[in-house]
Amino acid sequence: MTEPRNLEKFVIRLPDGLRPEISNAACKNHRSMNGEIIYRLERSLALELALDQRNRVIAQLLNRITELEVGN
């Protein structure tokens, strides 16, 4: 099996005990360990972006509430 040439390889050192956890999760989710790690990295980045967006909206709403309270 040949790997596509557009993929980058990256060696990672895992803390003790993490490899079996990833392996178990990958098996449960019917993915390879590599697929599980990629899925989780992509998901964490997407969730971080969503959290940042939510926090910006909350800050805007709080500012607007403060403006309305001061205006009364």
Side-chain angles (χ1 to χ4, degrees):
M1 175 187 245
T2 59
E3 292 186 34
R5 293 177 185 226
N6 63 341
L7 297 179
E8 292 186 33
K9 292 183 181 184
F10 182 79
V11 176
I12 184 169
R13 290 183 294 274
L14 299 172
D16 289 342
L18 188 55
R19 183 182 174 93
E21 286 186 46
I22 294 169
S23 180
N24 290 339
C27 186
K28 177 181 156 190
N29 294 315
H30 308 285
R31 289 191 272 265
S32 66
M33 282 185 59
N34 188 72
E36 187 70 23
I37 291 167
I38 290 170
Y39 169 79
R40 288 172 179 257
L41 286 171
E42 289 175 338
R43 193 175 98 190
S44 72
L45 292 171
L47 289 172
E48 187 175 311
L49 178 61
L51 181 61
D52 288 345
Q53 291 171 341
R54 185 200 68 170
N55 288 339
R56 280 194 297 276
V57 168
I58 289 171
Q60 290 171 347
L61 291 171
L62 289 172
N63 286 337
R64 184 63 181 137
I65 289 169
T66 300
E67 290 170 3
L68 292 171
E69 289 176 344
V70 171
N72 285 335

